[in-house]
Structure formats: structure tokens, C-alpha cells
Amino acid sequence: MDELIYLGRSISIAYRMANRFYDRALARWGIGCGQQFFLLRIYENRGSSVYDLARMGLFDKGTATRAVQKLEELGYVRSEADGSDKRVRRLYPTELAEPVVQASYDARRRWIALLTRGMTPEEAEAARGLLVRIAENAILALEGEDRDGSGG
């Protein structure tokens, strides 16, 4: 099999396993990998809007809206109208979110430890750097297709 196919397959497997890991780690709080990203971004960027969150994670606004709605229903997030533009809702974590956020950080540390098991610190850093470059290349590739209309 072509080595590049293995690269795509490996990225896909790692992504799906990460989703399963976070879904299991956070099931106790009623959220999974889909909401975890948004909860952490709201916690770290208090006052962000749904649009801001969508941009941060390269999600469409509908995906971000659905995740935020679930977080609000669970009581982990509250929204307030923006002082200067009432159409914009600013998002803030609630006190109820604190243990969920800490569990998410703990889960992230465990997941990274599992992924880098058996690697030297230099190998782990090299892997991180290469994955960042792969992600950046993927974004640039799609942005280029969107600009020139050759996207599928």
C-alpha cells in the first residue's frame, strides 16, 4: 500500500480513537468530544461569540451553535447580549462547568501521554510539529480550492 495512504489512514484512526476516548472520559458530565472543544474555548476565551468559536476551530456556524446550545442546556455555559450589538451573544462558563473543564484538561493530558508513549521528548515534539504542519497544509489546500473554484 502507498505510504501516503497509510498517512491518511493513520490520521483518520487517531482522530476516531481520540473522539472515542473523550466521549468515554466525559460521559459522566453528559458531553463528548464534540462539545468539549467548545467548552474549553469558552472557558479560555470568555466572552467569545458562536462565530468566534466557529472560526477558532474551523467549524461551520451551525455546528458551533448546536454544541453551544447543548452546553447551555446542561448548564455549563451562559450567554449574554453584547453591550454594543444586541444580535451578538457573548458566552461564559458557569460554575457548573469548572469540574468538567478540569476533567477535560486531565483527559487531554492522559490522551497525549498515551499517544506519545515510548517516544523520547524530542520525538514527541517532532511528531507535534509535523502534525501542526500537516494541519496547516490541509487548511491551505482547501483554502486554495475554495479560491480557485476547483474544490469538489
Side-chain angles (χ1 to χ4, degrees):
M1 187 179 271
D2 183 73
E3 289 175 11
L4 292 178
I5 292 173
Y6 278 123
L7 176 65
R9 180 177 181 268
S10 296
I11 291 169
S12 176
I13 289 169
Y15 172 76
R16 288 182 282 120
M17 295 303 106
N19 287 351
R20 287 176 58 189
F21 177 84
Y22 286 112
D23 285 345
R24 289 176 183 172
L26 302 171
R28 168 181 173 190
W29 288 278
I31 69 168
C33 63
Q35 296 82 38
Q36 178 229 15
F37 168 86
F38 294 99
L39 180 59
L40 292 180
R41 295 301 80 71
I42 292 165
Y43 184 81
E44 295 164 357
N45 302 280
R46 293 160 198 251
S48 296
S49 68
V50 170
Y51 177 74
D52 295 333
L53 296 173
R55 274 195 350 234
M56 284 179 212
L58 300 175
F59 291 98
D60 63 82
K61 193 174 175 209
T63 298
T65 299
R66 284 187 298 279
V68 168
Q69 284 173 340
K70 179 161 185 179
L71 292 169
E72 283 184 297
E73 289 168 9
L74 292 168
Y76 300 142
V77 170
R78 65 180 171 78
S79 66
E80 296 177 7
D82 183 277
S84 60
D85 185 347
K86 299 296 182 203
R87 296 171 298 175
V88 176
R89 305 293 297 170
R90 298 290 169 194
L91 303 166
Y92 301 91
T94 66
E95 285 185 32
L96 199 57
E98 189 66 34
V100 185
V101 167
Q102 294 313 313
S104 295
Y105 286 144
D106 291 344
R108 185 187 333 181
R109 283 188 288 276
R110 284 193 320 272
W111 184 240
I112 291 170
L114 289 168
L115 291 178
T116 58
R117 184 175 37 205
M119 293 184 192
T120 66
E122 295 79 18
E123 289 170 330
E125 180 57 27
R128 186 202 60 77
L130 291 170
L131 287 170
V132 167
R133 189 180 315 164
I134 287 170
E136 289 168 349
N137 287 343
I139 293 165
L140 290 172
L142 276 180
E143 285 177 351
E145 284 187 2
D146 290 345
R147 278 195 299 273
D148 67 16
S150 64

